[in-house]
Amino acid sequence: MKNQTHVFSPKIFSPSIQGLVTVLYYILFFAIGLTFGIIITFHSKNFSFNLQLTQFSLSTSSYPPSLPSPLSSSSSLSSRSSANKTLKSRVGLRDFVRPPRLMHDMSDDELLWRASMTPNRKEFPGPRQTSKIAFMFLIKQTVSFAPLWEKFFRGNEGRYSIYVHSDPSYNQSETESSMFRDRRIPSKVVEWGNANMIEAERRLLANALLDFSNQRFVLLSESCIPLYNFSTLYSYLMNSSENFVEAYDLNSPVGRGRYSQEMYPTIKLNEWRKGSQWFQIDRQLAIQVISDTTYITMFQKYCKGLCYSDEHYLPTLVSTKYWKKNSNRTLTWVDWSRGGPHPSRYSDTDATEEFLQKMRTEKQCKYNGNVTNVCYMFARKFLPSALDKLLILAPKVMHIKT
Ligand SMILES: *[C@@H]1O[C@H](CO)[C@@H](O)[C@H](O)[C@H]1NC(C)=O
Ligand SMILES: *[C@@H]1O[C@H](CO)[C@@H](O)[C@H](O)[C@H]1NC(C)=O
Ligand SMILES: *[C@@H]1O[C@H](CO)[C@@H](O)[C@H](O)[C@H]1NC(C)=O
Ligand SMILES: *[C@@H]1O[C@H](CO)[C@@H](O)[C@H](O)[C@H]1NC(C)=O
Ligand SMILES: *[C@@H]1O[C@H](CO)[C@@H](O)[C@H](O)[C@H]1NC(C)=O
Ligand SMILES: *[C@@H]1O[C@H](CO)[C@@H](O)[C@H](O)[C@H]1NC(C)=O
């Protein structure tokens, strides 16, 4: 500091010269300030002039005047009445209610948190929204029975939404007309039996929850087919007072044998349940599932290898905490009777009218407390080779219009 100021030190200049220098300094500062001021003013004038132009071109090119735009509200002071301005700049619920784009860049943690926020009131204070069923396909590459599903969905627009979780390495896209086009969600690798399977289920649920009109959530695999038409399924699910998460206590190596002592006391052995991974649940339960941080941590830590978390996570969680509304059964037909780690698979020769009818009505179960023989809405596992046969049988057996 001393070195820098020595040039103007009072030892060199007399007091009067020193005063002059100070005045010159002030003038210099003032000049710099003025220049800056002029530059800034000019630029901002230019800016607002541009805004006026934009606004003018908007209003002359017959854009809908209700277009909410921060530009117009900031520049329309002179051109619009303040009463109208208040209306134009109304924030409202629209942006909040509109589901975000499927391909977002939220991390799993951010997504689950975002999806756990939910209206506590049933009635929406606006136009009534049709309740939708979210069909969540957990697949490797493509939906094998896409042509059958498309026939199933057709004519029911507005009552369903589709979500696809596929292997991230799959980079093809569906044909222009496909209902599955652009329905993929940000996906991660899923391995059979691994905990990342239930992470994928929760990822699907969370994405589907972001659309507030989704009221029922159905998990499907690539080998699943519908057994009834859309309208029958829609009433079945919407009118049901129950959730469909299969859960049973099995005292064997493939049941309780998969329980890990390390989960105690969070999960006790007598709370351990087994069941099909393919569920059909309502919005309330879906929110509880994606909001769970306790059970999922236990499964990620202690249910590895031959534990198969996808067969135990939901059955155990739901049976312990949300059992009151659970039917303990699934709507997805499957045949484990041949034993082994995989259920029976069906090709074109198996796909017959008799077989499909059997799956549709063979069993008896309870629906809203009454006995019925309509217990299964879906069936697996079908091989892609069965597609043509199923397309032929669909109108006659499943009453799916073609
Ligand atoms: C508000 O704007 C609309 C056109 O957008 C116009 O018809 C209406 O008269 C305006 N109301 C007032 C109070 O200026
Ligand atoms: C898709 O991935 C494969 C490798 O998995 C690669 O050979 C191919 O070029 C990719 N195609 C596109 C369109 O990115
Ligand atoms: C079931 O839902 C349908 C609409 O999907 C409705 O027309 C019908 O009355 C409902 N049935 C019962 C028993 O609630
Ligand atoms: C489902 O299972 C739970 C116990 O796991 C039981 O408390 C409940 O009564 C069962 N519900 C039905 C409908 O069977
Ligand atoms: C169940 O049965 C009772 C009487 O048996 C009947 O009043 C009720 O409407 C039935 N519910 C359904 C959903 O069919
Ligand atoms: C759906 O199937 C049922 C029989 O399961 C039938 O009565 C109904 O007419 C079908 N609905 C449509 C829209 O085809």
Side-chain angles (χ1 to χ4, degrees), residues 65-66 80-85 87-88:
S66 64
R80 285 192 185 158
S81 78
S82 56
N84 257 1
K85 193 181 146 249
L87 268 179
K88 291 279 146 42

Side-chain angles (χ1 to χ4, degrees), residues 37-55:
I38 289 170
I39 290 170
I40 287 170
T41 314
F42 183 75
H43 267 259
S44 65
K45 266 187 182 162
N46 225 0
F47 187 52
S48 62
F49 181 64
N50 278 345
L51 286 184
Q52 303 270 0
L53 266 187
T54 320
Q55 198 202 334

Side-chain angles (χ1 to χ4, degrees), residues 81-277:
S81 78
S82 56
N84 257 1
K85 193 181 146 249
T86 334
L87 268 179
K88 291 279 146 42
S89 58
R90 182 168 187 262
V91 177
L93 281 175
R94 194 175 51 181
D95 287 346
F96 183 71
V97 172
R98 188 184 4 224
R101 287 175 44 208
L102 275 194
M103 271 298 164
H104 52 72
D105 61 358
M106 281 183 273
S107 70
D108 274 359
D109 222 27
E110 291 168 338
L111 169 70
L112 294 172
W113 185 85
R114 165 87 161 76
S116 73
M117 288 194 294
T118 180
N120 208 9
R121 246 178 70 182
K122 271 229 165 84
E123 299 305 323
F124 179 67
R128 220 190 95 76
Q129 308 213 306
T130 310
S131 296
K132 290 193 283 190
I133 300 177
F135 291 84
M136 311 180 297
F137 289 86
L138 179 51
I139 62 175
K140 287 191 193 73
Q141 298 200 330
T142 52
V143 178
S144 312
F145 297 101
L148 179 61
W149 283 110
E150 290 187 354
K151 286 198 162 67
F152 171 85
F153 288 128
R154 191 149 293 135
N156 295 287
E157 286 70 25
R159 297 206 290 168
Y160 67 88
S161 37
I162 297 172
Y163 300 85
V164 177
H165 187 292
S166 57
D167 197 279
S169 71
Y170 183 74
N171 57 9
Q172 318 278 303
S173 63
E174 279 76 19
T175 55
E176 198 86 35
S177 61
S178 170
M179 285 181 186
F180 296 92
R181 189 182 171 87
D182 298 332
R183 298 310 303 171
R184 278 168 214 271
I185 62 159
S187 308
K188 291 188 182 171
V189 173
V190 170
E191 294 141 318
W192 186 62
N194 192 302
N196 53 27
M197 184 86 95
I198 49 176
E199 287 161 16
E201 290 175 17
R202 282 156 50 98
R203 199 174 295 127
L204 273 165
L205 276 175
N207 278 285
L209 277 168
L210 297 184
D211 185 340
F212 292 155
S213 53
N214 286 330
Q215 292 298 332
R216 292 290 188 284
F217 300 79
V218 173
L219 185 70
L220 297 160
S221 77
E222 49 210 329
S223 68
C224 280
I225 63 158
L227 287 178
Y228 287 86
N229 60 20
F230 187 91
S231 47
T232 306
L233 170 75
Y234 191 84
S235 331
Y236 199 93
L237 282 183
M238 291 300 176
N239 293 346
S240 169
S241 57
E242 293 179 312
N243 284 300
F244 301 95
V245 176
E246 190 184 35
Y248 52 90
D249 185 7
L250 184 65
N251 199 352
S252 89
V254 294
R256 285 193 179 205
R258 293 178 182 168
Y259 171 79
S260 163
Q261 269 303 324
E262 284 162 301
M263 294 178 177
Y264 189 89
T266 311
I267 303 170
K268 300 174 187 73
L269 179 61
N270 64 0
E271 291 169 347
W272 186 254
R273 292 288 180 280
K274 183 174 176 159
S276 164
Q277 145 186 34

Side-chain angles (χ1 to χ4, degrees), residues 254 258 273-277 308-313 315 336:
V254 294
R258 293 178 182 168
R273 292 288 180 280
K274 183 174 176 159
S276 164
Q277 145 186 34
Y308 302 109
S309 47
D310 53 284
E311 290 182 1
H312 300 277
Y313 169 67
W336 286 99

